[in-house]
Amino acid sequence: MAEPALLRLQRLAGNAATTRLVTVQRDLDDQAALAAVDGLPAHVLSGNGGVPLATEAAKQDFLRAGREWFGSHEATLEHFRGIEQSAAPGRPFLHRDAKARLEAAVASLGGPGPASTVAFSFRKAFTKDTHYTPASMHTLGYAIDYDATNMPRIGRGETAELLRLTGGGPSNAQLGEYSARRAVISATGDATAAGEAPPAEAAALMDKIRAESQRLAVSSQAFQASLGAARDQFLELRTQYFEASAPQEKTAVLNQVPGLIVPWTTAITTEEQRLTALAAAAALDPAALPAKAQLTARIAQIEAAVREAGRAVAQVKGKEPDAKSKLWGRLAAWEKLVKIEPDGTFGERVTRVTEQAQTLLDGLKPLVGAKETLARLTSLRTKLSDPAFLFGSAKRKKGERPTTATVADTPSMAQLVEKGYFNPRDPVAGREHFNAEFLVALARHGFDLGVAWTGESTDSMHMELVVPRGG
Protein backbone atom coordinates (compact mmCIF):
# COMPACT_ATOMS: atom_id res chain seq x y z
CA MET A 1 0.00 0.00 0.00
CA ALA A 2 1.44 3.41 -0.97
CA GLU A 3 2.37 5.77 1.84
CA PRO A 4 0.03 8.82 2.05
CA ALA A 5 1.72 11.99 0.77
CA LEU A 6 1.18 13.91 4.01
CA LEU A 7 2.71 11.15 6.14
CA ARG A 8 5.67 10.94 3.78
CA LEU A 9 6.18 14.70 4.05
CA GLN A 10 6.07 14.48 7.86
CA ARG A 11 8.65 11.71 7.84
CA LEU A 12 11.00 13.52 5.47
CA ALA A 13 10.59 17.16 6.54
CA GLY A 14 9.35 16.95 10.11
CA ASN A 15 6.19 18.09 11.85
CA ALA A 16 7.08 21.82 11.89
CA ALA A 17 7.64 22.02 8.13
CA THR A 18 4.50 20.01 7.45
CA THR A 19 2.41 22.27 9.69
CA ARG A 20 3.84 25.35 7.99
CA LEU A 21 3.03 24.01 4.51
CA VAL A 22 -0.52 23.01 5.45
CA THR A 23 -1.09 26.42 7.06
CA VAL A 24 0.10 28.21 3.93
CA GLN A 25 -2.14 26.03 1.75
CA ARG A 26 -5.24 26.99 3.75
CA ASP A 27 -4.19 30.61 4.31
CA LEU A 28 -6.49 33.61 4.02
CA ASP A 29 -6.26 35.67 0.86
CA ASP A 30 -5.00 39.25 1.17
CA GLN A 31 -8.43 40.89 1.34
CA ALA A 32 -9.78 38.45 3.93
CA ALA A 33 -6.64 38.88 6.04
CA LEU A 34 -6.91 42.67 5.82
CA ALA A 35 -10.50 42.52 7.03
CA ALA A 36 -9.46 40.20 9.87
CA VAL A 37 -6.88 42.69 11.17
CA ASP A 38 -9.71 44.86 12.52
CA GLY A 39 -10.75 41.97 14.74
CA LEU A 40 -7.44 41.94 16.62
CA PRO A 41 -7.49 43.04 20.29
CA ALA A 42 -7.71 46.79 20.89
CA HIS A 43 -4.27 46.90 22.57
CA VAL A 44 -2.76 45.45 19.39
CA LEU A 45 -4.56 47.81 17.01
CA SER A 46 -3.52 50.78 19.17
CA GLY A 47 0.14 49.71 19.19
CA ASN A 48 -0.12 49.61 23.01
CA GLY A 49 1.35 53.06 23.49
CA GLY A 50 3.34 52.90 20.27
CA VAL A 51 2.27 53.47 16.68
CA PRO A 52 -1.30 52.29 15.93
CA LEU A 53 -2.41 50.24 12.94
CA ALA A 54 -4.47 53.19 11.75
CA THR A 55 -4.29 53.01 7.95
CA GLU A 56 -4.93 50.37 5.33
CA ALA A 57 -1.33 50.70 4.13
CA ALA A 58 0.00 50.08 7.64
CA LYS A 59 -2.22 47.01 8.01
CA GLN A 60 -1.05 45.65 4.66
CA ASP A 61 2.59 46.06 5.66
CA PHE A 62 1.81 44.52 9.06
CA LEU A 63 0.43 41.45 7.26
CA ARG A 64 3.29 41.28 4.75
CA ALA A 65 5.97 41.46 7.45
CA GLY A 66 4.09 38.87 9.48
CA ARG A 67 3.77 36.51 6.55
CA GLU A 68 7.50 36.77 5.91
CA TRP A 69 8.19 35.86 9.54
CA PHE A 70 5.41 33.41 10.42
CA GLY A 71 4.76 31.91 6.99
CA SER A 72 1.12 32.89 6.55
CA HIS A 73 -1.52 35.52 7.22
CA GLU A 74 -3.41 33.17 9.52
CA ALA A 75 -0.29 32.46 11.61
CA THR A 76 0.35 36.20 11.86
CA LEU A 77 -3.16 36.94 13.05
CA GLU A 78 -3.16 34.03 15.47
CA HIS A 79 0.10 35.25 16.98
CA PHE A 80 -1.19 38.76 17.63
CA ARG A 81 -4.49 37.44 18.96
CA GLY A 82 -2.24 35.94 21.64
CA ILE A 83 -1.03 39.31 22.98
CA GLU A 84 -2.50 39.40 26.48
CA GLN A 85 -2.19 41.42 29.69
CA SER A 86 -0.05 39.74 32.31
CA ALA A 87 -0.75 39.50 36.02
CA ALA A 88 2.94 40.21 36.71
CA PRO A 89 3.71 43.52 38.50
CA GLY A 90 2.99 46.43 36.19
CA ARG A 91 0.44 44.33 34.22
CA PRO A 92 2.53 44.35 31.00
CA PHE A 93 1.12 43.11 27.69
CA LEU A 94 3.02 40.13 26.24
CA HIS A 95 2.44 37.19 23.96
CA ARG A 96 0.73 34.48 26.00
CA ASP A 97 3.88 32.29 25.88
CA ALA A 98 6.04 35.03 27.40
CA LYS A 99 3.22 36.05 29.76
CA ALA A 100 3.00 32.56 31.26
CA ARG A 101 6.76 32.32 31.70
CA LEU A 102 7.06 35.78 33.28
CA GLU A 103 4.25 35.09 35.73
CA ALA A 104 5.91 31.81 36.71
CA ALA A 105 9.28 33.52 37.16
CA VAL A 106 7.78 36.15 39.47
CA ALA A 107 5.89 33.49 41.43
CA SER A 108 9.12 31.53 41.93
CA LEU A 109 10.67 34.46 43.82
CA GLY A 110 8.47 33.82 46.84
CA GLY A 111 7.86 37.55 47.20
CA PRO A 112 7.18 40.70 45.18
CA GLY A 113 8.91 41.18 41.87
CA PRO A 114 9.84 44.38 40.06
CA ALA A 115 7.21 46.12 37.97
CA SER A 116 7.30 47.09 34.32
CA THR A 117 4.82 48.15 31.67
CA VAL A 118 7.40 48.30 28.86
CA ALA A 119 6.81 45.12 26.88
CA PHE A 120 4.71 44.61 23.73
CA SER A 121 4.30 47.67 21.53
CA PHE A 122 4.65 48.77 17.92
CA ARG A 123 7.62 51.07 18.37
CA LYS A 124 7.73 52.12 14.72
CA ALA A 125 5.16 52.54 11.99
CA PHE A 126 4.66 49.63 9.61
CA THR A 127 5.93 50.57 6.14
CA LYS A 128 7.13 48.81 3.00
CA ASP A 129 10.57 48.66 4.63
CA THR A 130 9.33 46.83 7.75
CA HIS A 131 10.73 43.33 8.20
CA TYR A 132 10.79 41.40 11.45
CA THR A 133 14.28 40.55 12.70
CA PRO A 134 15.73 39.13 15.93
CA ALA A 135 15.55 42.73 17.19
CA SER A 136 11.73 42.76 16.88
CA MET A 137 10.96 40.97 20.14
CA HIS A 138 9.04 43.90 21.66
CA THR A 139 6.90 44.13 18.53
CA LEU A 140 6.24 40.40 18.75
CA GLY A 141 5.43 40.53 22.45
CA TYR A 142 8.33 38.40 23.65
CA ALA A 143 10.41 41.09 25.38
CA ILE A 144 10.13 43.27 28.47
CA ASP A 145 12.34 46.08 29.83
CA TYR A 146 12.98 46.86 33.50
CA ASP A 147 14.28 50.05 35.13
CA ALA A 148 15.63 51.55 31.91
CA THR A 149 17.36 54.62 33.32
CA ASN A 150 19.32 52.61 35.89
CA MET A 151 20.03 49.82 33.40
CA PRO A 152 20.49 51.71 30.10
CA ARG A 153 21.44 50.32 26.73
CA ILE A 154 25.10 51.24 26.20
CA GLY A 155 24.51 52.37 22.63
CA ARG A 156 28.09 53.17 21.55
CA GLY A 157 31.13 50.97 21.07
CA GLU A 158 33.29 53.84 22.34
CA THR A 159 31.31 53.97 25.59
CA ALA A 160 31.73 50.22 26.05
CA GLU A 161 35.50 50.61 25.61
CA LEU A 162 35.76 53.36 28.21
CA LEU A 163 33.66 51.39 30.69
CA ARG A 164 35.87 48.34 30.13
CA LEU A 165 39.08 50.30 30.65
CA THR A 166 37.95 52.10 33.78
CA GLY A 167 35.75 49.43 35.33
CA GLY A 168 38.14 46.51 35.34
CA GLY A 169 36.41 44.39 32.70
CA PRO A 170 33.78 44.20 29.95
CA SER A 171 30.58 46.17 30.48
CA ASN A 172 28.44 43.16 29.56
CA ALA A 173 27.86 39.96 31.53
CA GLN A 174 30.20 37.17 30.48
CA LEU A 175 27.63 34.40 30.11
CA GLY A 176 29.13 32.51 27.21
CA GLU A 177 28.73 32.52 23.43
CA TYR A 178 25.37 33.87 22.24
CA SER A 179 23.90 30.80 20.52
CA ALA A 180 25.15 28.31 23.11
CA ARG A 181 23.83 30.45 25.99
CA ARG A 182 20.41 30.84 24.40
CA ALA A 183 20.22 27.11 23.73
CA VAL A 184 20.81 26.39 27.43
CA ILE A 185 18.29 29.05 28.49
CA SER A 186 15.67 27.73 26.07
CA ALA A 187 16.12 24.14 27.25
CA THR A 188 16.07 25.28 30.87
CA GLY A 189 12.87 27.26 30.34
CA ASP A 190 11.17 24.32 28.67
CA ALA A 191 12.25 21.98 31.48
CA THR A 192 11.04 24.40 34.16
CA ALA A 193 7.67 24.78 32.45
CA ALA A 194 7.31 21.00 32.21
CA GLY A 195 8.35 20.42 35.82
CA GLU A 196 11.41 18.49 34.68
CA ALA A 197 15.08 18.64 35.63
CA PRO A 198 17.03 21.37 33.80
CA PRO A 199 19.95 20.50 31.50
CA ALA A 200 23.31 19.84 33.15
CA GLU A 201 24.71 23.20 32.02
CA ALA A 202 21.96 25.23 33.71
CA ALA A 203 23.44 25.34 37.23
CA ALA A 204 26.74 26.77 36.02
CA LEU A 205 24.92 29.41 33.96
CA MET A 206 22.82 30.50 36.94
CA ASP A 207 25.97 30.81 39.06
CA LYS A 208 27.54 32.93 36.31
CA ILE A 209 24.51 35.23 36.26
CA ARG A 210 24.91 35.81 40.01
CA ALA A 211 28.67 36.37 39.79
CA GLU A 212 28.46 38.64 36.74
CA SER A 213 25.69 40.71 38.30
CA GLN A 214 27.94 41.39 41.26
CA ARG A 215 30.94 42.15 39.03
CA LEU A 216 28.99 44.58 36.85
CA ALA A 217 27.55 46.41 39.85
CA VAL A 218 31.11 46.91 41.14
CA SER A 219 32.32 47.92 37.65
CA SER A 220 29.49 50.44 37.35
CA GLN A 221 30.46 52.01 40.66
CA ALA A 222 34.11 52.04 39.59
CA PHE A 223 33.25 54.13 36.55
CA GLN A 224 31.29 56.55 38.70
CA ALA A 225 34.45 57.01 40.80
CA SER A 226 36.89 56.92 37.87
CA LEU A 227 37.52 60.67 37.80
CA GLY A 228 38.43 60.73 41.47
CA ALA A 229 38.44 64.19 43.00
CA ALA A 230 37.63 65.72 39.60
CA ARG A 231 34.19 64.07 39.45
CA ASP A 232 32.28 66.98 40.96
CA GLN A 233 34.24 69.48 38.86
CA PHE A 234 33.36 67.54 35.70
CA LEU A 235 29.66 67.64 36.57
CA GLU A 236 29.93 71.34 37.40
CA LEU A 237 31.45 71.98 33.96
CA ARG A 238 28.48 70.11 32.49
CA THR A 239 26.12 72.52 34.24
CA GLN A 240 28.17 75.55 33.21
CA TYR A 241 28.11 74.35 29.60
CA PHE A 242 24.31 74.14 29.66
CA GLU A 243 24.11 77.58 31.28
CA ALA A 244 26.41 79.19 28.71
CA SER A 245 24.71 80.89 25.80
CA ALA A 246 27.50 82.35 23.67
CA PRO A 247 29.67 79.96 21.58
CA GLN A 248 32.87 81.36 23.10
CA GLU A 249 31.54 80.67 26.58
CA LYS A 250 30.79 77.06 25.67
CA THR A 251 34.23 76.69 24.11
CA ALA A 252 35.86 78.05 27.28
CA VAL A 253 34.03 75.42 29.33
CA LEU A 254 35.02 72.60 26.98
CA ASN A 255 38.66 73.69 27.11
CA GLN A 256 38.68 72.81 30.82
CA VAL A 257 37.48 69.24 30.30
CA PRO A 258 40.81 67.57 29.25
CA GLY A 259 42.41 68.42 32.58
CA LEU A 260 39.59 66.68 34.44
CA ILE A 261 39.34 63.49 32.41
CA VAL A 262 43.03 62.54 32.58
CA PRO A 263 42.16 59.14 34.14
CA TRP A 264 40.13 58.34 31.04
CA THR A 265 42.69 59.51 28.48
CA THR A 266 45.46 57.78 30.41
CA ALA A 267 43.52 54.52 30.32
CA ILE A 268 43.10 54.91 26.55
CA THR A 269 46.81 55.56 26.05
CA THR A 270 47.76 52.58 28.20
CA GLU A 271 45.52 50.27 26.19
CA GLU A 272 46.84 51.61 22.89
CA GLN A 273 50.39 51.00 24.07
CA ARG A 274 49.52 47.47 25.22
CA LEU A 275 48.01 46.53 21.86
CA THR A 276 50.87 48.16 19.96
CA ALA A 277 53.38 46.13 21.97
CA LEU A 278 51.47 42.91 21.29
CA ALA A 279 51.48 43.69 17.58
CA ALA A 280 55.22 44.33 17.62
CA ALA A 281 55.84 41.07 19.47
CA ALA A 282 53.90 39.25 16.74
CA ALA A 283 55.94 41.06 14.05
CA LEU A 284 52.86 42.92 12.83
CA ASP A 285 52.43 46.58 11.96
CA PRO A 286 50.06 48.13 14.56
CA ALA A 287 48.77 50.51 11.88
CA ALA A 288 47.92 47.64 9.51
CA LEU A 289 46.63 44.85 11.71
CA PRO A 290 44.42 42.20 10.10
CA ALA A 291 40.70 42.55 10.75
CA LYS A 292 39.12 40.25 13.33
CA ALA A 293 37.62 37.90 10.75
CA GLN A 294 40.87 37.68 8.80
CA LEU A 295 42.94 37.00 11.90
CA THR A 296 40.45 34.42 13.17
CA ALA A 297 40.66 32.60 9.83
CA ARG A 298 44.48 32.58 9.92
CA ILE A 299 44.48 31.19 13.47
CA ALA A 300 42.05 28.46 12.38
CA GLN A 301 44.37 27.59 9.48
CA ILE A 302 47.38 27.26 11.76
CA GLU A 303 45.47 25.20 14.32
CA ALA A 304 44.25 22.87 11.57
CA ALA A 305 47.83 22.44 10.34
CA VAL A 306 48.98 21.52 13.85
CA ARG A 307 46.26 18.87 14.11
CA GLU A 308 47.12 17.45 10.70
CA ALA A 309 50.81 17.40 11.57
CA GLY A 310 50.05 15.48 14.76
CA ARG A 311 48.08 12.89 12.81
CA ALA A 312 50.91 12.60 10.26
CA VAL A 313 53.47 11.90 12.98
CA ALA A 314 51.24 9.18 14.41
CA GLN A 315 50.77 7.73 10.94
CA VAL A 316 54.49 7.32 10.11
CA LYS A 317 55.34 5.88 13.57
CA GLY A 318 58.84 7.36 13.73
CA LYS A 319 59.85 6.35 10.20
CA GLU A 320 60.53 8.44 7.14
CA PRO A 321 57.55 8.45 4.74
CA ASP A 322 58.07 6.93 1.30
CA ALA A 323 59.57 9.44 -1.13
CA LYS A 324 56.33 9.43 -3.15
CA SER A 325 54.10 9.92 -0.09
CA LYS A 326 51.68 12.86 -0.18
CA LEU A 327 52.83 13.64 3.36
CA TRP A 328 55.87 15.46 1.97
CA GLY A 329 53.68 17.85 0.01
CA ARG A 330 51.48 18.46 3.04
CA LEU A 331 54.57 19.09 5.17
CA ALA A 332 55.82 21.67 2.66
CA ALA A 333 52.43 23.42 2.84
CA TRP A 334 52.56 23.52 6.66
CA GLU A 335 56.09 24.98 6.55
CA LYS A 336 54.96 27.64 4.10
CA LEU A 337 52.00 28.49 6.31
CA VAL A 338 54.16 29.07 9.40
CA LYS A 339 57.00 30.58 7.32
CA ILE A 340 59.93 28.27 8.06
CA GLU A 341 62.46 26.66 5.71
CA PRO A 342 62.60 22.86 5.29
CA ASP A 343 65.49 21.27 7.17
CA GLY A 344 66.02 17.83 8.76
CA THR A 345 64.08 14.57 8.85
CA PHE A 346 60.32 14.36 8.50
CA GLY A 347 59.87 14.11 12.25
CA GLU A 348 62.25 17.00 12.93
CA ARG A 349 60.53 19.19 10.38
CA VAL A 350 57.07 18.43 11.80
CA THR A 351 58.35 19.28 15.29
CA ARG A 352 59.63 22.62 14.02
CA VAL A 353 56.28 23.29 12.33
CA THR A 354 54.34 22.64 15.53
CA GLU A 355 56.74 24.72 17.64
CA GLN A 356 56.63 27.65 15.22
CA ALA A 357 52.87 27.32 14.94
CA GLN A 358 52.49 27.59 18.71
CA THR A 359 54.71 30.67 18.75
CA LEU A 360 52.55 32.26 16.06
CA LEU A 361 49.34 31.35 17.87
CA ASP A 362 50.64 32.81 21.13
CA GLY A 363 51.27 36.09 19.31
CA LEU A 364 48.14 36.22 17.16
CA LYS A 365 45.38 35.16 19.56
CA PRO A 366 45.69 38.22 21.85
CA LEU A 367 45.37 40.40 18.74
CA VAL A 368 41.98 39.10 17.61
CA GLY A 369 39.81 42.21 17.46
CA ALA A 370 42.75 44.53 18.20
CA LYS A 371 42.35 46.40 14.90
CA GLU A 372 38.74 47.17 15.73
CA THR A 373 39.58 48.07 19.33
CA LEU A 374 42.26 50.53 18.23
CA ALA A 375 39.78 52.14 15.83
CA ARG A 376 37.23 52.53 18.64
CA LEU A 377 39.87 54.02 20.92
CA THR A 378 40.76 56.57 18.25
CA SER A 379 37.09 57.42 17.87
CA LEU A 380 36.72 57.59 21.66
CA ARG A 381 39.47 60.22 21.89
CA THR A 382 37.56 62.34 19.39
CA LYS A 383 34.26 61.89 21.20
CA LEU A 384 35.80 63.05 24.48
CA SER A 385 35.76 66.55 23.01
CA ASP A 386 32.13 66.26 21.87
CA PRO A 387 29.75 67.98 24.32
CA ALA A 388 26.86 65.67 23.40
CA PHE A 389 28.98 62.61 24.22
CA LEU A 390 30.31 64.19 27.40
CA PHE A 391 27.22 65.89 28.79
CA GLY A 392 24.16 64.66 26.86
CA SER A 393 21.22 67.06 26.61
CA ALA A 394 20.08 69.50 29.25
CA LYS A 395 17.33 68.90 31.76
CA ARG A 396 15.99 72.27 32.82
CA LYS A 397 13.69 72.95 35.75
CA LYS A 398 12.50 76.39 36.77
CA GLY A 399 14.49 77.81 39.65
CA GLU A 400 17.22 75.14 39.40
CA ARG A 401 20.51 74.84 37.56
CA PRO A 402 20.42 72.53 34.51
CA THR A 403 21.58 68.93 34.74
CA THR A 404 21.77 66.03 32.29
CA ALA A 405 18.50 64.57 31.00
CA THR A 406 18.45 60.88 31.84
CA VAL A 407 18.00 58.58 28.82
CA ALA A 408 17.44 54.85 28.48
CA ASP A 409 19.59 54.42 25.37
CA THR A 410 23.09 55.72 24.55
CA PRO A 411 23.73 57.66 27.79
CA SER A 412 26.27 60.46 28.03
CA MET A 413 29.36 60.24 30.21
CA ALA A 414 27.80 62.68 32.67
CA GLN A 415 24.78 60.41 33.12
CA LEU A 416 27.04 57.39 33.64
CA VAL A 417 29.20 59.27 36.14
CA GLU A 418 26.08 60.25 38.09
CA LYS A 419 24.05 57.05 37.82
CA GLY A 420 26.33 54.25 36.61
CA TYR A 421 25.14 51.72 34.06
CA PHE A 422 24.22 48.59 36.02
CA ASN A 423 22.19 49.20 39.15
CA PRO A 424 19.88 46.22 39.70
CA ARG A 425 19.39 47.27 43.33
CA ASP A 426 18.46 50.93 43.71
CA PRO A 427 17.42 51.66 47.31
CA VAL A 428 16.86 55.34 46.56
CA ALA A 429 14.10 54.50 44.10
CA GLY A 430 12.86 51.62 46.21
CA ARG A 431 13.57 48.97 43.58
CA GLU A 432 14.88 46.40 46.02
CA HIS A 433 13.31 43.46 44.22
CA PHE A 434 15.29 43.80 40.97
CA ASN A 435 18.42 41.85 41.74
CA ALA A 436 20.50 38.90 40.58
CA GLU A 437 17.93 36.40 41.82
CA PHE A 438 15.28 37.95 39.59
CA LEU A 439 17.64 37.63 36.61
CA VAL A 440 18.24 34.00 37.55
CA ALA A 441 14.49 33.39 37.80
CA LEU A 442 13.98 34.87 34.33
CA ALA A 443 16.74 32.71 32.83
CA ARG A 444 15.32 29.60 34.51
CA HIS A 445 12.01 30.31 32.81
CA GLY A 446 13.53 30.81 29.36
CA PHE A 447 14.40 34.53 29.12
CA ASP A 448 17.71 35.64 27.65
CA LEU A 449 19.29 38.68 29.33
CA GLY A 450 20.28 41.72 27.29
CA VAL A 451 23.03 42.44 29.81
CA ALA A 452 24.98 39.59 28.16
CA TRP A 453 24.96 41.22 24.73
CA THR A 454 28.27 42.73 23.68
CA GLY A 455 29.63 46.20 22.94
CA GLU A 456 27.15 48.91 22.04
CA SER A 457 24.35 46.29 22.08
CA THR A 458 24.60 45.66 25.84
CA ASP A 459 21.03 46.26 27.03
CA SER A 460 20.74 45.50 30.73
CA MET A 461 17.08 46.52 30.96
CA HIS A 462 16.03 44.04 28.26
CA MET A 463 14.76 40.48 28.82
CA GLU A 464 13.35 38.35 26.01
CA LEU A 465 11.84 34.88 25.83
CA VAL A 466 14.01 32.65 23.66
CA VAL A 467 11.75 31.49 20.83
CA PRO A 468 12.35 29.96 17.39
CA ARG A 469 13.18 32.61 14.82
CA GLY A 470 10.99 33.08 11.77
CA GLY A 471 11.84 34.64 8.45
Side-chain angles (χ1 to χ4, degrees), residues 297-352:
R298 175 158 172 74
I299 288 170
Q301 272 188 309
I302 296 171
E303 289 177 332
V306 170
R307 290 192 297 271
E308 289 179 20
R311 288 193 292 268
V313 169
Q315 180 180 338
V316 300
K317 298 178 180 178
K319 299 178 181 179
E320 288 289 282
D322 183 83
K324 296 182 180 180
S325 172
K326 293 181 180 179
L327 289 176
W328 293 107
R330 288 161 61 189
L331 175 57
W334 301 333
E335 288 171 332
K336 182 178 180 181
L337 179 65
V338 299
K339 300 179 180 178
I340 59 173
E341 296 297 323
D343 183 37
T345 66
F346 183 86
E348 290 169 344
R349 289 169 65 182
V350 169
T351 297
R352 291 178 62 233

Side-chain angles (χ1 to χ4, degrees), residues 385-398:
S385 61
D386 176 358
F389 181 80
L390 289 168
F391 305 141
S393 58
K395 176 183 178 181
R396 303 181 188 277
K397 192 173 181 180
K398 188 174 181 179

Side-chain angles (χ1 to χ4, degrees), residues 178-202:
Y178 179 84
S179 296
R181 178 186 73 248
R182 287 173 71 92
V184 173
I185 288 174
S186 179
T188 302
D190 290 345
T192 302
E196 299 172 353
E201 308 94 331

Side-chain angles (χ1 to χ4, degrees), residues 27 64 70 100 154 180 196 251 261 286-287 328 338 393 404 426 466:
D27 195 18
R64 175 196 47 74
F70 294 108
I154 297 302
E196 299 172 353
T251 299
I261 62 171
W328 293 107
V338 299
S393 58
T404 295
D426 182 8
V466 180

